[in-house]
């Protein structure tokens, strides 16, 4: 079969998922014709994405977040207003998606949680079958537990529905197995982890790893290093105007985002300090590492991620980075190794699920469906 990917470029996890599925599909003899990836002024598409996706890559301007001056908090209403003003630009992006679809004539379009991907399928109704993949779609499962905030929840669900508009299949990526849905179009898979994660050996050296997507969290990591001079921190950030590496303190060093070096350090660290990005938490748990998860302020999706991950045994939820708290947690948590083993067992079911998915695409002619509903939780659950 021939595939076209549409990938949200705002989160690095979506790009990692796309790389993983690209490799899986091509190894099974399928063709990924091209990848459209969302771009914005806030984020630079990392070099590793271009290096590991071996097909034409087409950047498209896509909706993105607006942050405060410290680049720490997501400003919800400013984000909505900003993106409404860019409707003309996004309309041009939709036309570009249609040109790609017309040119490559894929059998299947896979959307990695990009809003324009869902809008394109809902408005243009291409002949290709449309599949939506992302951990956010777990919100469609009746047993999913949401973070607090009614308005934020409503906006999150609206965005999630829009990205999956008309999807013939919706695939939710999850840290743990969920009971099968009564709707065959809704599937739950283990995370799409990059293949390199299975090739590294997990050890435990005398340092903690920190990953901060928004550079505004630099001051918090610096403060934690100052308060805990006997604890070492190796941190990664996306601050292109700073030296690489940058060592502000004897026990603290910052590296620019580098996927290979990051994976090497993750495999060797004692524990992880991170915002609540899904993919990073999954990789840490696969390597048997526990995380302290600090959701980006104003980012409701990350609040849900952190809650879900803490319930799955991936670590602890916190409102701020607290190295001493993580240090104590690791010293007293007697179940952390068992949680990692359970996650690996779940992860190893992925290939079987993908084979079943591909067979179902080849055997049936999925037609565009209505946007996926949110199931109502039963009273006894």
């Amino acid at each position: 079969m021939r595939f076209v990917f549409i990938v949200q470029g705002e989160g690095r996890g979506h790009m990692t998922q796309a790389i993983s599925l690209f490799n899986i599909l091509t190894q099974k003899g399928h063709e990924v014709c091209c990848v459209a990836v969302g771009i914005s002024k806030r984020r630079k598409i990392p070099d590793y994405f271009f290096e590991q996706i071996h097909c034409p890559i087409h950047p498209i301007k896509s909706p993105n977040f607006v942050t405060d001056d410290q680049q720490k908090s997501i400003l919800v209403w400013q984000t909505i207003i900003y993106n409404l003003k860019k409707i003309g630009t996004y309309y041009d992006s939709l036309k570009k998606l249609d040109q790609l679809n017309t040119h490559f004539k894929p059998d299947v379009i896979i959307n990695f949680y990009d809003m324009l991907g869902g809008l394109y399928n809902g408005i243009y109704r291409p002949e290709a079958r449309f599949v939506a993949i992302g951990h956010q779609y777990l919100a469609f499962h009746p047993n999913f537990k949401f973070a607090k905030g009614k308005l934020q929840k409503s906006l999150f669900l609206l965005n999630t529905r829009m990205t999956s508009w008309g999807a013939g299949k919706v695939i939710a990526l999850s840290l743990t197995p969920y009971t099968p849905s009564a709707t065959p179009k809704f599937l739950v898979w283990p995370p799409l982890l990059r293949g390199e994660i299975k090739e590294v050996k997990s050890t435990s050296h005398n340092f903690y790893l920190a990953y901060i997507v928004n550079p505004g969290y630099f001051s918090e990591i610096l403060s934690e290093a100052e308060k805990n001079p006997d604890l070492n921190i190796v941190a990664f950030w996306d601050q292109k105007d700073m030296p690489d590496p940058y060592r502000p303190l004897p026990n603290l060093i910052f590296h620019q985002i580098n996927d290979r070096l990051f994976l090497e350090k993750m495999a060797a660290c004692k524990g992880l300090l991170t915002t609540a990005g899904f993919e990073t938490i999954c990789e840490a748990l696969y390597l048997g590492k526990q995380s302290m998860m600090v959701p980006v302020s104003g980012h409701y999706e990350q609040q849900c991620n952190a809650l879900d991950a803490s319930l799955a045994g991936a670590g602890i939820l916190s409102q701020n980075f607290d190295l001493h708290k993580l240090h104590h947690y690791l010293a007293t948590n007697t179940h952390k190794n068992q949680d990692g083993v359970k996650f690996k067992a779940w992860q190893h079911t992925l290939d079987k699920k993908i084979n079943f998915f591909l067979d179902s695409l080849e055997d049936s002619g999925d037609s565009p469906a209505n946007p996926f509903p949110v199931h109502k939780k039963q009273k006894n659950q």
Side-chain angles (χ1 to χ4, degrees):
M1 286 184 291
R2 292 164 57 83
F3 292 82
V4 162
F5 286 2
I6 304 173
V7 185
Q8 186 204 117
E10 181 70 24
R12 296 183 187 278
H14 300 290
M15 289 182 277
T16 301
Q17 292 161 15
I19 291 171
S20 177
L21 190 58
F22 175 91
N23 290 330
I24 292 170
L25 291 176
T26 54
Q27 288 168 9
K28 292 180 181 293
H30 300 282
E31 179 186 2
V32 179
C33 307
C34 80
V35 174
V37 58
I39 59 172
S40 69
K41 293 181 179 179
R42 286 189 67 239
R43 295 272 186 256
K44 176 182 179 293
I45 302 301
D47 292 338
Y48 67 78
F49 187 75
F50 295 97
E51 293 167 359
Q52 297 185 47
I53 294 285
H54 304 297
C55 72
I57 296 176
H58 298 268
I60 58 170
K61 293 182 179 179
S62 186
N64 58 91
F65 292 117
V66 174
T67 62
D68 62 7
D69 293 338
Q70 289 75 39
Q71 298 187 57
K72 287 180 64 175
S73 300
I74 300 297
L75 304 177
V76 176
W77 293 113
Q78 288 88 333
T79 294
I80 294 172
I81 293 170
Y82 171 82
N83 287 300
L84 286 174
K85 291 179 179 179
K86 304 280 286 185
I87 285 179
T89 298
Y90 301 147
Y91 177 67
D92 291 338
S93 295
L94 290 175
K95 290 193 293 185
K96 184 173 182 179
L97 287 176
D98 192 49
Q99 291 168 1
L100 293 174
N101 179 64
T102 301
H103 176 74
F104 289 103
K105 295 180 173 59
D107 300 299
V108 184
I109 297 172
I110 295 185
N111 185 35
F112 292 85
Y113 204 68
D114 190 271
M115 182 186 290
L116 291 186
L119 290 176
Y120 171 68
N121 188 63
I123 296 171
Y124 283 78
R125 294 291 176 171
E127 291 184 7
R129 284 162 287 180
F130 186 78
V131 177
I133 294 181
H135 65 277
Q136 293 89 345
Y137 301 119
L138 203 59
F140 292 157
H141 196 283
N143 292 342
F144 183 74
K145 296 188 181 302
F146 291 92
K148 294 180 180 179
K150 291 184 178 180
L151 177 61
Q152 296 93 323
K153 175 183 175 180
S154 297
L155 292 172
F156 168 59
L157 288 174
L158 174 62
N159 183 71
T160 303
R161 289 192 188 98
M162 291 176 69
T163 64
S164 59
W165 188 2
K169 289 190 184 294
V170 173
I171 300 171
L173 304 178
S174 172
L175 282 160
T176 56
Y178 271 67
T179 55
S181 169
T183 307
K185 292 182 184 292
F186 179 70
L187 307 174
V188 179
W189 285 5
L192 287 164
L193 300 182
R194 47 182 164 164
E196 298 92 327
I197 198 82
K198 300 173 184 177
E199 299 172 2
V200 298
K201 182 180 179 181
S202 181
T203 58
S204 183
H205 291 232
N206 189 31
F207 71 91
Y208 291 89
L209 182 65
Y211 176 59
I212 51 174
V213 178
N214 295 352
Y217 287 100
F218 164 78
S219 59
E220 286 194 28
I221 298 298
L222 181 66
S223 175
E224 287 304 300
E226 289 175 336
K227 290 187 293 187
N228 299 276
D230 55 327
L231 301 177
N232 297 309
I233 304 175
V234 175
F236 284 78
W237 63 353
D238 191 10
Q239 194 76 341
K240 299 302 181 185
D241 57 344
M242 295 297 289
D244 184 22
Y246 171 57
R247 187 183 289 275
L249 294 171
N251 65 326
L252 173 62
I253 185 170
F254 277 87
H255 296 281
Q256 299 289 346
I257 298 297
N258 178 310
D259 63 319
R260 293 179 180 85
L261 182 60
F262 180 74
L263 185 57
E264 174 188 316
K265 296 299 183 182
M266 182 185 285
C269 73
K270 295 176 67 175
L272 176 68
L273 297 153
T274 182
T275 49
F278 177 76
E279 207 70 18
T280 303
I281 296 168
C282 291
E283 290 183 346
L285 187 57
Y286 188 88
L287 293 171
K289 311 295 182 178
Q290 293 282 293
S291 302
M292 167 171 279
M293 298 161 287
V294 180
V296 171
S297 179
H299 200 316
Y300 181 77
E301 177 192 316
Q302 286 211 353
Q303 295 175 33
C304 291
N305 287 351
L307 175 60
D308 183 56
S310 63
L311 294 173
I316 52 174
L317 170 61
S318 179
Q319 296 305 311
N320 56 278
F321 292 109
D322 188 333
L323 186 56
H324 180 74
K325 182 179 178 181
L326 176 61
H327 183 73
H328 176 74
Y329 170 76
L330 294 178
T332 57
N333 179 16
T334 59
H335 300 289
K336 56 181 181 293
N337 293 330
Q338 298 174 23
D339 295 325
V341 170
K342 289 179 182 178
F343 178 68
K344 269 193 173 182
W346 166 235
Q347 182 64 36
H348 290 166
T349 68
L350 178 63
D351 191 63
K352 182 178 180 180
K353 291 181 179 295
I354 290 178
N355 286 336
F356 182 81
F357 161 72
L358 293 172
D359 288 343
S360 70
L361 288 179
E362 291 176 337
D363 294 342
S364 65
D366 284 335
S367 58
N370 291 326
F372 237 76
V374 176
H375 302 285
K376 293 183 179 180
K377 186 182 285 274
Q378 298 177 6
K379 291 182 179 181
N380 61 349
Q381 292 178 328

